[in-house]
Amino acid sequence: MSIQILQRTAIVVAISACSCGALASGFKLQENSISGLGRAYAAQNTIGDDASILARNPAGSALFDRVIITGGIIYLDPKTDAEGEVLEILLDGNASPIALGSFEEKSNDFSNDQWLPNIFLAIPFNDAWSAGLGIYTDFGKETDFNEDALTTPFAKKTKLDTYTIAPSIAYNFADVFSIGIAANILYADSRLSTQYPSDLKLGSITSDLANKTELDFDGDDWDVSWSIGALWNITEHTRVGISYHSELEPKLEGDVSSDFIFFDDFSSMTKADGRITIDLPDSVELGFYHRFNARWGLALGLEWTDWDDFYSLELYVPGKQGFGIDLNPLPLRTENFESGWRYSVGVEFYPCETCTWRIGYAYDEGAARDGINEAASLPEFPETWRELSIPDSDRQEFTLGATYELNQQLSIDGGIAYRWGKKEKIDDVFIMPFLPDAITGGLDNTLITAYDGRISKIESWLFGVGLNYKF
């Protein structure tokens, strides 16, 4: 490998690992309803078992003739494992090998559990007008690798928490057609962090890098978007729903630090003011529900999520100039996501007037592209679009659920789901020049870390319970 390649990849390529998969697909959540969980969220924007329809379709409040409040919580228990080979190569200033090693690396269960609460209120004013309010989450993910994992240069901690507050209003045309609109007020909180592992394998010559921070960003922001939806009662037993949620662009502002970036006044980057803008996708959902008779109903769902606009991540450090690099913007990694579809089918069985049983299946296309990122790859080290921080893949799920009416006012929902994904190839490379004199940017030794591995397990169990009360 030539010294020109190393110089060309220097700091910017090195810190770009912090954005690896930071906001890839796989963090868009369906889990905002307990009744919907039981049928894999098929026609969740259409059926209207309870007020949780408001998360998917603001026209849903028109389905109720009494005030109803719905609340619940879902426990998401993901199990994600990765395994592969980590290659470490230490080069001198002339790109000559000083030391190298190849090490097997296994990372087990690095996706963290999540609790996903929700609450909804639907208020009919008269036969025509109604309003609603929902509080739930649309996006979320957390992965966390042990500090001694050799993969921490690519991914140490990636977390995104969001909360949506959605007031809505709807109009009902003669119980045949309803239309509604909502404001979606989003709070987003994110943490992105990469670092060198606590135990580097090439001995004392690399020990001064142990636990040093490549890039650490902790920020949050509020943003507002809108959604619109419609319901059409084709017959007494057949309904179609369509809804659209617009995109969001929260500008996360917070602290950013790095042990390898310096400002032009020779100070280190320690809790500087930083900003990263996230392009959260818009989506369109179509639902179909038909009740065949007193015992059986069928739900079909189709959802398209527009990830194409999420092309890259950039970091801004307002009012600061970097020493030798541009911080406004500082390009991180090109993600180049692709839009995808989610297909779902659910069946409801009504054994009696007070009980509903559900079963469902869904297939969800991932947003990470297959193949090699040719623009980022070095000749010796390929890089896949798919990354460790959020191990995205196509997913399938199988679900079961039920609702039991305790009386005319109170009912309880329960649901369980098993979700699994494809095992996918992941290749990545990280290059960090040692900076013994960071002020002058002097290039001394260079450490190359390359990962050649795969996701060996990706699955989740989900458990949900909720209550509905009609006034």
Side-chain angles (χ1 to χ4, degrees), residues 10-12 261-264 321-327 438-441:
I11 295 288
V12 173
I261 301 177
F262 292 83
F263 298 126
D264 59 354
Q321 294 295 321
F323 189 88
I325 59 174
D326 187 4
L327 298 178
I439 302 304
T440 64

Side-chain angles (χ1 to χ4, degrees), residues 227-257:
S227 59
I228 189 171
L231 294 168
W232 179 27
N233 295 320
I234 300 175
T235 70
E236 182 181 356
H237 303 292
T238 305
R239 181 183 302 136
V240 172
I242 186 170
S243 51
Y244 171 79
H245 288 248
S246 67
E247 64 183 12
L248 291 137
E249 293 184 341
K251 296 176 174 60
L252 302 174
E253 297 182 351
D255 296 333
V256 59
S257 299

Side-chain angles (χ1 to χ4, degrees), residues 105-127:
E105 179 69 22
K106 291 186 178 180
S107 300
N108 295 328
D109 198 15
F110 58 85
S111 293
N112 291 349
D113 301 353
Q114 291 179 285
W115 292 93
L116 307 173
N118 59 75
I119 188 167
F120 302 90
L121 175 66
I123 305 174
F125 299 122
N126 50 47
D127 291 340

